[in-house]
Amino acid sequence: MKTIKNPVQSEINIKKSQFICSLFPTKNKKESKEIIQKLNQQYSDATHNCTAYIVNDGEGFDDDGEPGGTAGKPMINVLRKNELHNVTAVVTRYFGGIKLGAGGLVRAYSKSVMEAIGESEILEIEEYDVYKITFEYSDIKIVDNEVRNNNLESIEKEYSDKVTYCVVSKNNLDIEKIFEKYSGKVNVTFKNKQFLEKI
């Protein structure tokens, strides 16, 4: 699987209509919906803001008033064809006065997403099992040593009343087994599966 490294924007003009494709790396539906909402506000004067996303917890698309199946679906098909994951695409259209017809719209929205992908830096991603490790501040040294010695990757750290690390194993080690000896001090639970940049 692949994703894009950074947000990208590209623009094409077809029969006086302007198509602006914004591509964003996103991990979940919440992030996708926040980006879509932001772009809807940014381009509130546009004729349409059509969307497609494929993320860890699902996928979706929306024609935003274009004839059914002529915008969102072709957009998500381009993402699938390019094996892209954890990505949100928004194509903003400013109507130029010339109707494109159903086939023309499908081609225009597909081309718009393809152009943006062409300008993106693509990263390889893989599905990893993410584990949550919770422990006291006094045990940071122990946990850091195990993380380092077992070649684990911390993808998230949270410091509140206790310390929480979200970690993945580069070589599919049993993370629960690694911390078994600290039972009672270090709590390890399976969090979820996530597509992450290849470690």
Side-chain angles (χ1 to χ4, degrees):
M1 281 284 191
K2 297 177 216 124
T3 193
I4 59 168
K5 188 173 183 179
N6 301 306
V8 167
Q9 197 170 66
S10 71
E11 198 180 305
I12 56 171
N13 290 288
I14 297 169
K15 291 186 179 173
K16 295 184 180 174
S17 271
Q18 184 187 18
F19 292 86
I20 304 162
C21 180
S22 307
L23 278 188
F24 287 84
T26 43
K27 288 195 173 74
N28 51 50
K29 285 183 189 174
K30 186 175 175 281
E31 279 181 25
S32 293
K33 283 173 180 166
E34 281 166 5
I35 278 162
I36 290 164
Q37 197 179 352
K38 197 172 140 196
L39 289 172
N40 277 335
Q41 287 165 354
Q42 191 179 332
Y43 296 106
S44 56
D45 60 335
T47 321
H48 306 281
N49 284 302
C50 304
T51 58
Y53 60 86
I54 301 174
V55 288
N56 281 327
D57 55 355
E59 52 181 58
F61 59 87
D62 183 17
D63 295 315
D64 192 40
E66 290 282 31
T70 61
K73 199 160 189 195
M75 287 166 64
I76 204 167
N77 284 343
V78 171
L79 298 180
R80 285 182 187 138
K81 204 167 136 192
N82 285 274
E83 295 182 340
L84 286 175
H85 203 90
N86 284 4
V87 67
T88 297
V90 179
V91 176
T92 301
R93 180 188 184 193
Y94 287 94
F95 182 54
I98 300 167
K99 290 192 171 181
L100 301 182
L105 286 172
V106 168
R107 285 190 294 277
Y109 280 99
S110 300
K111 188 178 179 192
S112 189
V113 176
M114 285 189 297
E115 292 277 326
I117 292 170
E119 289 179 30
S120 303
E121 190 179 337
I122 305 293
L123 298 175
E124 284 289 332
I125 55 172
E126 254 182 36
E127 194 174 35
Y128 291 95
D129 287 345
V130 181
Y131 283 85
K132 205 167 155 182
I133 305 174
T134 311
F135 51 94
E136 300 290 345
Y137 282 82
S138 54
D139 295 318
I140 283 184
K141 212 168 179 180
I142 291 173
V143 175
D144 282 349
N145 280 339
E146 292 294 351
V147 166
R148 196 172 42 252
N149 296 340
N150 290 286
N151 227 0
L152 304 178
E153 185 83 14
S154 294
I155 57 166
E156 212 179 294
K157 291 181 178 182
E158 195 184 299
Y159 302 92
S160 52
D161 52 332
K162 286 190 174 189
V163 185
T164 303
Y165 286 3
C166 288
V167 300
V168 297
S169 169
K170 299 178 188 183
N171 23 4
N172 287 324
L173 294 175
D174 187 337
I175 294 175
E176 284 170 313
K177 209 173 179 66
I178 293 166
F179 290 96
E180 233 172 29
K181 54 186 172 242
Y182 307 111
S183 170
K185 286 172 84 170
V186 178
N187 183 34
V188 180
T189 52
F190 174 73
K191 189 184 178 199
N192 55 23
K193 285 180 180 288
Q194 278 186 39
F195 279 97
L196 301 164
E197 190 180 334
K198 208 168 180 179
I199 297 164

